[in-house]
């Protein structure tokens, strides 16, 4: 209970600080929002400038503007887009499904492949299979996702014609078809990270005394791995998987741009290019909240999966 209360209090404090930094950073960025809102330079009269500033509270001190923005954001009102002239919450609601579907597909891919390769590498420690997996994952981690995306599009979309070049698709099966290549491009780097953590965690557990004792009593290798190695190795693996998923939810910008997917990441890029401050603030706030919620949930669930941490918390 104390652990949960501490984590939630820390999350709220982090949210307040990060939201203020996001809000203040927008007004420190190059470009005047008043100029963008008025548009035509011929309309840049003192009366029109004063009217726009009053309409968007730009004539108020920064801390007052932040208070007004944060209080409205708390009840779901994220403002109105300068570019699209519609509520930012509605804009994000139309873009989120594509981003969430992309992250979900990529997560399934990197969890299955990363954990599977990590277990195989640990069980074949020091052998050719281990060396091959380590070399392959090192190579995968060194290639940027946009390079992998461009290669996939060139081979599987342009030359072979198996997958669409761009877009997120409509309907379940069509969306799976459209997002297959973007999900692979997003998952490749994560496979390397998760497989490394899985291997390391497995190797540490295999060398434990209780595992050696169980082996000396003649426990079957499959049961030994399942009951005494993999079970205790889940903690670091789950933590890394959660961190990767959180970073994906906040970092699909490059892949969405490469594959022309109208998700939250592409919305952020377009908003930055057009100085659409309310949209930029809302998307960045979404990224911060997503990251904090995922990491906090993992921190709270972790003791339930690993009794050693639970016992340690009780002692402290």
């Amino acid at each position: 209970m104390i652990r949960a209360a501490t984590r939630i209090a820390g999350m709220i404090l982090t949210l307040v600080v990060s939201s203020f930094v996001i809000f203040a950073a927008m007004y420190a960025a190059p470009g005047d929002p008043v100029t963008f809102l008025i548009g035509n330079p011929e309309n840049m009269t003192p009366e029109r400038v004063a009217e726009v500033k009053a309409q968007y509270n730009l004539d108020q001190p920064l801390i007052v503007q932040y208070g007004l923005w944060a209080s409205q954001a708390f009840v779901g009102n994220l403002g109105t887009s300068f570019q699209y002239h519609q509520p930012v919450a509605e804009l994000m609601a139309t873009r989120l499904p594509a981003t969430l579907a992309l992250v979900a597909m990529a997560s399934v891919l990197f969890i299955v492949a990363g954990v599977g390769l990590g277990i195989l590498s640990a069980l074949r420690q020091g052998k050719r299979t281990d060396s091959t997996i380590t070399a392959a994952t090192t190579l995968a981690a060194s290639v940027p996702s946009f390079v992998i995306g461009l290669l996939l599009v060139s081979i599987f979309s342009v030359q072979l014609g198996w997958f669409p070049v761009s877009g997120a698709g409509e309907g379940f099966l069509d969306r799976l078809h459209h997002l297959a290549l973007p999900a692979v491009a997003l998952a490749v780097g994560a496979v390397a990270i998760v497989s490394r953590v899985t291997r390391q965690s497995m190797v540490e557990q295999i060398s434990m005394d209780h595992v050696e004792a169980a082996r000396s009593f003649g426990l079957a290798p499959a049961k030994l791995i399942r009951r005494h190695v993999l079970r205790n190795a889940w903690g670091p693996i789950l933590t890394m998987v959660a961190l990767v998923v959180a970073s994906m939810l906040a970092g699909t910008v490059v892949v969405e741009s490469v594959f022309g997917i109208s998700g939250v990441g592409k919305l952020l890029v377009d908003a930055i290019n057009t100085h659409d401050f309310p949209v930029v603030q809302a998307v960045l706030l979404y990224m911060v909240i997503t990251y904090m919620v995922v990491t906090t949930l993992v921190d709270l669930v972790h003791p339930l999966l690993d009794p050693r941490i639970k016992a340690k918390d009780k002692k402290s």
Side-chain angles (χ1 to χ4, degrees), residues 11 46 61 70 95 97 141 147 151 153 162 205 213 227 247 276 279 309:
M11 188 175 72
R95 304 296 186 96
V147 174
L151 284 173
V153 168
W162 292 352
Q205 292 300 322
R227 293 181 180 178
S247 64
D276 198 349
V279 174
I309 296 179

Side-chain angles (χ1 to χ4, degrees), residues 15 36 58 110 158 221 227 244 275 290 307:
L15 178 61
F36 178 79
L58 298 173
F110 86 74
V158 177
R227 293 181 180 178
V244 172
H275 298 91
T290 301

Side-chain angles (χ1 to χ4, degrees), residues 20-296:
F20 180 76
V21 171
I22 290 171
F23 187 85
M26 290 300 98
Y27 287 87
D32 183 8
V34 176
T35 304
F36 178 79
L37 287 167
I38 294 177
N40 190 346
E42 295 181 356
N43 296 330
M44 193 69 72
T45 61
E47 294 77 13
R48 180 58 180 156
V49 169
E51 180 184 352
V52 169
K53 284 186 175 180
Q55 181 180 355
Y56 290 92
N57 298 314
L58 298 173
D59 55 349
Q60 300 291 330
L62 179 63
I63 191 67
V64 175
Q65 292 184 46
Y66 168 74
L68 294 171
W69 173 75
S71 60
Q72 290 299 309
F74 184 75
V75 296
N77 182 7
L78 298 171
T80 302
S81 167
F82 292 170
Q83 182 184 8
Y84 299 100
H85 302 292
Q86 69 180 99
V88 176
E90 291 182 7
L91 268 177
M92 292 191 63
T94 60
R95 304 296 186 96
L96 263 177
T99 297
L100 294 179
L102 173 61
V103 172
M105 288 182 64
S107 298
V108 172
L109 291 175
F110 86 74
I111 291 172
V112 173
V115 174
L117 289 174
I119 293 175
L120 181 61
S121 183
L123 297 179
R124 297 288 188 272
Q125 184 183 0
K127 299 181 179 178
R128 182 176 298 178
T129 303
D130 182 25
S131 302
T132 303
I133 292 174
T134 302
T137 53
T138 300
L139 176 64
S142 63
V143 181
S145 59
F146 75 91
V147 174
I148 296 173
L150 292 174
L151 284 173
L152 292 174
V153 168
S154 174
I155 297 172
F156 295 102
S157 298
V158 177
Q159 296 183 26
L160 298 176
W162 292 352
F163 295 94
V165 175
S166 63
E170 297 291 338
F172 181 71
L173 293 178
D174 191 41
R175 178 151 288 185
L176 287 180
H177 189 210
H178 277 76
L179 296 182
L181 293 185
V184 172
L186 194 61
V188 168
V191 169
I193 297 171
V194 173
S195 67
R196 289 292 187 85
V197 173
T198 302
R199 180 190 180 280
Q200 183 62 32
S201 185
M202 289 277 294
V203 168
E204 289 177 359
Q205 292 300 322
I206 288 173
S207 63
M208 291 287 184
D209 293 339
H210 71 279
V211 176
E212 290 293 336
R215 185 182 290 113
S216 66
F217 280 107
L219 189 65
K223 287 185 178 179
L224 180 72
I225 296 300
R226 190 173 61 253
R227 293 181 180 178
H228 297 283
V229 177
L230 191 56
R231 184 179 179 183
N232 292 331
W234 274 123
I237 299 171
L238 178 64
T239 301
M240 182 53 65
V241 166
L243 290 175
V244 172
V245 171
S247 64
M248 281 185 175
L249 287 167
T252 59
V253 177
V254 174
V255 172
E256 287 184 4
S257 299
V258 170
F259 289 92
I261 299 172
S262 295
V264 174
K266 193 169 187 304
L267 178 65
L268 175 62
V269 174
D270 295 340
I272 291 174
N273 290 333
T274 57
H275 298 91
D276 198 349
F277 290 172
V279 174
V280 176
Q281 290 166 340
V283 174
L284 293 179
L285 189 63
Y286 145 79
M287 292 178 171
V288 170
I289 292 175
T290 301
Y291 196 90
M292 285 194 306
V293 168
V294 173
T295 53
T296 301

